[in-house]
């Protein structure tokens, strides 16, 4: 562990010297170094990967700092300031002054962040640009290297840095990978409150969930349907929830709440997790066979069992867990008929022998 920390310090110094010796107009680009680092990472050449990620971070920091200084100086002259704060007005003055380098810097920013992102304010743009010399993708991958090396605290530190800089991710949805990694590391470090906190952050973007204390109107309707029907068929036929990214959070939170005996919370997360799973499986079958339409949960399970690709996905994502969790929670809350119905369908039609066997045993215990 100590040896690995020393290696990282050496790599940081090397990356800093590299950035100092590299001009801003160099043919090297941070993303190229990042891609080279990914290749090294995949080859398990972790020392090389760390060096490349470190170089990419430092080069991005150096380039953005130089471009920011130039742009800040470009808008300081009285003629430019007199144009006001609107980006379009400032841009026109810069063009008239033939400051093409400043315009090029702005054009590059506008490729991913149009003027509306900054409320058309040049001062807001400058504030954002000054903070943009970070590279959360690199921080995340450095965290992955540390995690593989068993340096969990260091890994968590870099994941947190990446999360704090998520505003500057090239692919915004990568924030979910970061937050799942933070949750996983927190669990490994036995910091279970943090693990729950990070998983709940994913659900803050799911309007159907509501909050930990108040369900959304849709979720209340779902709960009412499940508890007032003799089978789960109406629930799976009536509701669809397209949120594949949050499925893992729902499954893991259900497990956390069940272990903590917080069964009401567990029921909500299991219910939404099950609905997402059914929605995904149904949509995937539809892509494979455009004539497919959902009819029953049993039919869905049978069809999944005939498709190896979908079946593999269900195994890797622990899809069958969430259905068993839902049945267990129904049983615990006294909804024995509904629980029995779900146990029976899983026992008879689930394509996973292990889960079918477990469901069969639990079905036998309901009588």
């Amino acid at each position: 562990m100590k040896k690995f920390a020393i290696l990282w310090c050496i790599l940081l110094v090397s990356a800093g010297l590299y950035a100092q010796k590299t001009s801003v107009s160099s043919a090297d680009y941070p993303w190229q170094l990042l891609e080279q680092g990914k290749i090294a990472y995949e080859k398990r050449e972790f020392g090389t990967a760390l060096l490349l990620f470190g170089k990419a971070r430092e080069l991005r920091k150096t380039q953005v700092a130089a471009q920011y200084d130039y742009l800040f100086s470009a808008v300081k002259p009285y003629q430019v300031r007199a144009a006001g704060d609107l980006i379009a007005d400032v841009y026109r003055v810069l063009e008239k002054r033939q400051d093409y380098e400043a315009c090029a810097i702005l054009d590059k920013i506008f490729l991913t962040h149009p003027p509306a992102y900054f409320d058309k304010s040049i001062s807001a743009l400058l504030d954002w640009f000054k903070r943009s010399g970070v590279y959360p993708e690199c921080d995340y991958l450095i965290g992955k290297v540390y995690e593989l090396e068993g340096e969990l605290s260091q890994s968590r530190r870099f994941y947190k840095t990446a999360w704090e800089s998520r505003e500057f991710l090239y692919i915004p949805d990568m924030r979910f990978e970061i937050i799942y990694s933070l949750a996983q590391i927190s669990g490994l470090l036995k910091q279970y409150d943090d693990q729950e906190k990070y998983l709940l952050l994913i659900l803050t973007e799911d309007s159907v969930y509501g909050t930990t204390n108040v369900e959304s109107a849709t979720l209340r309707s779902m709960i009412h349907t499940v508890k007032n029907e003799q089978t789960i068929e109406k629930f799976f036929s009536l509701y669809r929830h397209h949120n594949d990214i949050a499925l893992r959070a729902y499954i893991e939170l259900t497990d956390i709440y069940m272990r903590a005996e917080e069964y009401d919370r567990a029921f909500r997360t299991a219910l939404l997790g099950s609905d997402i799973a059914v929605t995904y499986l149904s949509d995937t079958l539809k892509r494979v066979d455009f004539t497919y339409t959902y009819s029953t949960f049993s039919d869905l399970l049978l069809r999944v069992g005939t498709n190896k690709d979908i079946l593999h996905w269900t195994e890797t994502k622990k899809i069958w867990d969430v259905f068993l969790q839902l049945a267990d929670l129904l049983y615990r809350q006294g909804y024995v008929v509904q629980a029995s119905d779900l146990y029976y369908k899983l026992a008879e039609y689930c394509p996973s022998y292990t889960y079918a066997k477990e469901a069969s045993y639990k079905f036998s215990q309901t009588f």
Side-chain angles (χ1 to χ4, degrees):
M1 185 179 293
K2 188 174 181 180
K3 182 179 179 182
F4 202 68
I6 293 171
L7 172 62
W8 174 242
C9 290
I10 294 171
L11 294 174
L12 277 180
V13 172
S14 300
L17 291 173
Y18 173 87
Q20 291 171 17
K21 292 177 181 178
T22 305
S23 68
V24 175
S25 60
S26 167
D28 287 326
Y29 294 99
W31 67 265
Q32 290 177 326
L33 295 168
L34 176 68
E35 291 304 315
Q36 292 169 18
K38 286 180 180 178
I39 293 170
Y41 173 83
E42 290 169 1
K43 292 180 178 178
R44 302 188 69 82
E45 298 171 357
F46 296 138
T48 302
L50 282 177
L51 176 61
L52 290 164
F53 294 147
K55 284 180 178 180
R57 291 169 83 237
E58 291 302 317
L59 183 57
R60 183 179 179 115
K61 180 179 178 181
T62 301
Q63 289 182 340
V64 169
Q67 291 173 354
Y68 170 81
D69 289 343
Y70 184 91
L71 191 58
F72 184 78
S73 298
V75 300
K76 281 182 70 176
Y78 173 77
Q79 184 183 0
V80 183
R81 286 187 288 113
D85 193 51
L86 282 176
I87 291 174
D89 294 339
V90 172
Y91 192 93
R92 277 194 292 270
V93 174
L94 290 172
E95 280 188 313
K96 287 179 182 179
R97 290 169 61 86
Q98 297 185 347
D99 195 339
Y100 300 125
E101 187 166 350
C103 290
I105 293 171
L106 290 171
D107 288 338
K108 186 176 179 181
I109 293 171
F110 298 151
L111 287 174
T112 53
H113 296 80
Y117 181 83
F118 309 102
D119 292 326
K120 302 180 181 180
S121 165
I122 193 68
S123 56
L125 182 150
L126 285 168
D127 176 67
W128 173 88
F129 194 40
K130 186 176 184 179
R131 296 181 290 108
S132 70
V134 291
Y135 212 162
E137 288 87 353
C138 281
D139 291 317
Y140 175 66
L141 288 167
I142 290 168
K144 294 290 285 184
V145 172
Y146 274 115
E147 183 178 354
L148 287 172
E149 291 290 332
E151 302 271 6
L152 300 185
S153 295
Q154 280 285 72
S155 175
R156 188 171 186 265
R157 182 167 71 85
F158 278 98
Y159 288 151
K160 287 184 73 174
T161 300
W163 175 250
E164 289 162 3
S165 304
R166 64 190 179 278
E167 176 187 357
F168 302 101
L169 285 166
Y170 184 74
I171 301 174
D173 277 357
M174 190 177 176
R175 67 190 185 280
F176 294 112
E177 293 181 45
I178 297 170
I179 208 68
Y180 274 127
S181 293
L182 272 168
Q184 180 171 298
I185 287 293
S186 297
L188 292 172
L189 292 171
K190 301 187 186 303
Q191 297 171 345
Y192 300 120
D193 287 344
D194 284 344
Q195 182 184 19
E196 179 193 3
K197 176 186 72 177
Y198 289 128
L199 291 170
L200 285 172
L201 280 174
I202 294 171
L203 303 195
T204 60
E205 298 190 36
D206 189 347
S207 59
V208 178
Y209 177 69
T211 69
T212 54
N213 297 316
V214 182
E215 305 99 342
S216 69
T218 302
L219 180 52
R220 286 197 297 273
S221 178
M222 289 179 172
I223 293 170
H224 181 270
T225 299
V226 169
K227 290 183 175 180
N228 287 275
E229 293 290 326
Q230 296 298 298
T231 73
I232 48 85
E233 285 301 341
K234 186 173 181 179
F235 169 68
F236 285 142
S237 298
L238 192 59
Y239 298 100
R240 287 292 174 266
H241 189 25
H242 301 270
N243 194 349
D244 306 344
I245 289 174
L247 179 58
R248 176 180 167 186
Y250 280 116
I251 292 173
E252 293 183 7
L253 280 168
T254 300
D255 185 55
I256 289 171
Y257 292 145
M258 287 182 73
R259 282 189 277 111
E261 298 183 357
E262 296 183 37
Y263 298 124
D264 285 339
R265 285 186 173 182
F267 181 71
R268 295 200 296 269
T269 52
L271 193 64
L272 284 170
S274 296
D275 194 37
I276 292 171
V278 166
T279 301
Y280 179 87
L281 292 173
S282 182
D283 288 349
T284 304
L285 286 171
K286 182 70 175 178
R287 287 193 292 271
V288 174
D289 177 6
F290 71 92
T291 64
Y292 169 77
T293 56
Y294 180 89
S295 57
T296 64
F297 184 58
S298 302
D299 177 68
L300 178 73
L301 297 181
L302 285 171
R303 289 174 181 267
V304 167
T306 63
N307 189 299
K308 291 183 179 179
D309 292 334
I310 303 176
L311 192 57
H312 176 71
W313 183 85
T314 63
E315 299 290 346
T316 58
K317 300 296 182 181
K318 300 182 178 179
I319 293 302
W320 310 122
D321 279 351
V322 75
F323 295 125
L324 271 177
Q325 287 172 337
L326 179 59
D328 290 344
L329 288 160
L330 283 166
Y331 185 77
R332 281 184 177 277
Q333 295 191 333
Y335 297 96
V336 179
V337 175
Q338 294 90 327
S340 297
D341 177 64
L342 188 49
Y343 282 139
Y344 174 77
K345 287 179 170 64
L346 290 169
E348 289 294 312
Y349 305 107
C350 181
S352 168
Y353 174 76
T354 301
Y355 286 94
K357 184 178 180 181
E358 184 176 352
S360 178
Y361 170 76
K362 289 183 175 181
F363 175 71
S364 69
Q365 298 302 303
T366 60
F367 297 100

